[in-house]
Amino acid sequence: MSRFLLIGAPGAGKGTQAERLAQAFSIPAISTGDIFRYNVKNETELGKLAKSFMDRGEYVPDSVTNDLVRDRLSQEDAQPGFLLDGYPRTADQVKELDDILAAAGSKLDAVVLLTADTDEVVRRLLNRAQEQGRADDTEEVIRRRLEVYEEQTAPLIDIYAARDIVITIDGLGEVAEVTGRILDALAARGIKPLS
Ligand code: AMP
């Protein structure tokens, strides 16, 4: 049973690491950003609503995001464990996740905090903008996303630190090297993939 989440500034490498870790643990990587982008692409009602916030670098309202995650975590594949990427991002979302897990009689095993300095993060995001053409990777929106992260999401680290479940990982370096650091740190806490 592995239930954990990745937290860190936009551009810290959460998405890349989430995929690799989910594979190592054979659990789904659940990215709220990816779910929103999928809905934007398919022009669903949820997508239309999410787009109006995402394009400005603002967070999609908690009520919408919480319902989406509650539904996703109730699905069969998430029962053995899951890796959340980009959720929770607000104090209200932390509470919602606590409620969802408490109702299921489970709890989070670890919160992996990926760190990267601001210059590096902006450089990565501008690079990704060129490669993937994401609508929210323009310099102005990137700046707003970093501000929103500092205001609303960075404070969540203290909430989880008080529970002694935060593992801080240097997100700079080769992708495989960073994955190795995370796996080692999780293993040191007794969290290992079933082999
Ligand atoms: P990401 O791919 O995780 O950087 O997310 C891209 C965008 O989706 C964010 O800038 C938000 O607009 C929206 N988003 C993703 N996850 C959340 C969340 N947990 N709460 C609110 N908005 C979110």
Side-chain angles (χ1 to χ4, degrees), residues 29-105:
I30 300 174
S31 156
T32 42
D34 281 352
I35 298 173
F36 287 136
R37 274 186 290 279
Y38 175 86
N39 279 275
V40 169
K41 198 170 139 214
N42 289 288
E43 298 180 354
T44 66
E45 285 306 311
L46 173 65
K48 284 178 207 161
L49 183 128
K51 185 172 169 28
S52 63
F53 294 94
M54 293 168 82
D55 283 353
R56 290 182 284 124
E58 304 294 336
Y59 286 166
V60 176
D62 286 332
S63 56
V64 176
T65 311
N66 285 337
D67 283 354
L68 178 111
V69 172
R70 182 177 280 278
D71 178 65
R72 182 64 187 86
L73 290 181
S74 74
Q75 290 170 23
E76 197 58 40
D77 67 331
Q79 302 320 304
F82 55 79
L83 171 52
L84 282 166
D85 160 17
Y87 180 96
R89 268 171 145 111
T90 66
D92 190 68
Q93 293 178 15
V94 169
K95 188 179 173 309
E96 180 78 6
L97 181 60
D98 285 344
D99 289 350
I100 294 171
L101 292 175

